[in-house]
Structures are given as C-alpha cells and as structure tokens.
Amino acid sequence: MSRVHVGGLALEIHEPTGEPCGTVLLLHGIGGCADTFTGVAPRLAAAGWRAVAWDAPGYGESPDPGPGVVGDDSPGAYVNVVARLLTTLGIDRAHLAGVSWGGVIATHVAARRPELVAGLILIDSTRGSGTTKAKAAAMRGRVSELEQQGAEAFAARRAPRLLADGPEPAAAAEVERQMSAVRVSGYAGAAEMMAQSDTGPLLPTITAPTLVLVGDEDRVTGVEESRLLARAIPQACFGLVGRAGHAAVQERPAEVAAAMLAFLDRLLGKEAAR
C-alpha cells in the first residue's frame, strides 16, 4: 500500500502483484476516511484489482474544500472532483464503490458521467437527505452539533448507532476513532451535498452494472432504502451482509470484499464473453 497525494487529494493505493483487472475507487462515508477500507482494499488487491481509497475533501490528509478542491457543496461539484481525480490518475473508467455518503457521490457520477463508470457498488447507501425537507434540515443540523460538541463527543454519541448489536470491540473502536477525527470543513461540505441530494429520479437512468449491499442491522439508512435503490436501478443486484450495521465495511470486511469480488468477477466474465 502506498499513501500518495494526487490532484490535491490524499489517497491510499493498493496495487495487485500483476497487471490489474481494473481500478476500484473507494469512497468513504460522512464520518469516515480512507481507513474505512483497511479491511477491504487489501483483499481487492490480492484478487488482482487496483484499489484506490480517498480521503474526501476536508477529510484525513486531504485539504479543506475550497477553490481548486471542491468549488461548492453541490452534488455536481463532487462529481467534478471524482472526474478530475480519475483523469489525473490516467484512468478512463473505474468501478466506483461508495459507503453511505460515498455511495451518493458514486450514484451522481454514474448518472451524470456514465462514461467514467464501469461498475457501481453502493454499500449501506441512500438517495441522499434531500428526499424530504425534514431530512435535509436534520442533515444540515448535524454540522452545528459537531461544532458545539467537538468531534470526540460527537463521535461518542453517534458512532454506536452505526454498529450491529453486540459489535466486536475492535471494529467499534475504529468506527468511533474515524468519526472523532472528522473536521467541520469536510463534514459541512458533505452534509450540504447530502441535503441537496435526492437521487431517486436519477436511479432509473443508471446504465452501469450495479451491486447494492447493506448490513442486515443497518439502523441509519436502513435495509429498505437499499432495497429501493436496487429496485430502481435497472438490473441491479442486491445483497445483505449478515450481523452488520451501517458500518458493514468495517464490521464484516471479509464478507463485503467477497461480495464485491464476486460481482466484479461476473463483470469480467461478461466482458470476456463479448
């Protein structure tokens, strides 16, 4: 694994030993960072895929949103960041895998820039918080909570809800650690982007092969929201991750990686058959 800065963003890049089957861009959730995929990315690389996990603008080692990073907090601005990153990396098409907020970003990219997306994987994701005025207001209100409470107290209160009942202590500690490191600048940009997002009308237009995964105990976005995504996106596949909550990627990385690889392998088979 190498830690690099590309196009103003911090990335963790896991390279396979041979020629890669393709690139999977891993987009973390609103309370995460590139470390969200510590248990998944090496498994993808071991199976022959280049796995690139970003620190989103304002997260981890990436600079705060602003001119030259994210022009504004609109969904389109984050689409442009992803497109610019792929261009800078010299990647014509990538598989996008996003957790929660990261899945909303990936959905926008797949709908608005379909030529960039070879496959779409949505994990514990959603249409966004703009589906109702109340949800949008609640999302924007989180920023004030973070500012008033501080990241550590904010994480201590919110992180347990992301987990399944009886979580493994190491996974629970890591989820809270990542959330306690969020910065207001990054979180505020993400929250505003989510508040402006309702990808519902875009879902039927998505042409990329899609896998929707969700923890069977997800109490944040919920199983039914993921089922809705899978029904609305043409020919999407759906899978449950057992004994996992909203943080399924961190709670059950082996199971999530196995589901992702089975999906990616099927796509390779379809490409080879053409």
Side-chain angles (χ1 to χ4, degrees):
M1 186 273 286
S2 59
R3 186 83 180 178
V4 300
H5 286 77
V6 175
L9 295 174
L11 308 175
E12 286 186 3
I13 301 180
H14 298 252
E15 294 281 5
T17 54
E19 186 69 20
C21 302
T23 298
V24 184
L25 180 60
L26 302 165
L27 309 174
H28 61 77
I30 197 169
C33 61
D35 290 348
T36 294
F37 300 98
T38 296
V40 169
R43 289 178 164 92
L44 299 181
W49 295 87
R50 178 190 295 115
V52 179
W54 79 351
D55 284 334
Y59 285 81
E61 297 178 14
S62 289
D64 292 345
V69 182
V70 182
D72 56 52
D73 299 328
S74 69
Y78 283 89
V79 170
N80 291 339
V81 173
V82 172
R84 187 167 61 244
L85 175 60
L86 293 177
T87 298
T88 304
L89 290 170
I91 298 168
D92 294 329
R93 298 177 79 223
H95 299 273
L96 303 187
V99 173
S100 194
W101 169 54
V104 179
I105 296 174
T107 301
H108 279 292
V109 177
R112 298 168 184 232
R113 296 293 305 274
E115 76 280 5
L116 299 177
V117 184
L120 180 64
I121 302 173
L122 306 177
I123 308 170
D124 294 284
S125 197
T126 173
R127 290 165 289 170
S129 302
T131 52
T132 69
K133 290 182 178 180
K135 288 182 178 180
M139 177 56 71
R140 291 182 173 111
R142 288 194 200 176
V143 180
S144 296
E145 291 180 35
L146 175 59
E147 291 174 323
Q148 293 166 9
Q149 298 173 11
E152 289 189 6
F154 184 79
R157 190 169 71 83
R158 284 194 170 272
R161 188 164 173 258
L162 274 60
L163 303 159
D165 290 335
E168 295 181 8
E174 181 59 17
V175 169
E176 184 170 337
R177 181 194 72 81
Q178 289 182 28
M179 187 175 286
S180 68
V182 298
R183 308 200 302 272
V184 172
S185 60
Y187 197 92
E192 181 57 32
M193 182 270 194
M194 283 288 281
Q196 292 183 30
S197 290
D198 174 5
T199 64
L202 301 177
L203 300 178
T205 72
I206 291 175
T207 56
T210 301
L211 170 65
V212 180
L213 292 174
V214 62
D216 63 353
E217 296 183 43
D218 188 334
R219 292 182 284 264
V220 177
T221 53
V223 173
E224 287 310 307
E225 179 73 6
S226 285
R227 289 192 188 278
L228 183 155
L229 298 179
R231 287 195 303 267
I233 297 172
Q235 299 183 328
C237 304
F238 175 81
L240 282 173
V241 182
R243 297 174 296 123
H246 189 65
V249 168
Q250 291 139 291
E251 293 180 276
R252 304 293 172 204
E255 291 85 346
V256 170
M260 293 174 66
L261 288 169
F263 171 73
L264 293 168
D265 286 347
R266 286 198 300 272
L267 296 189
L268 277 185
K270 290 179 182 179
E271 289 292 332
R274 290 178 182 175

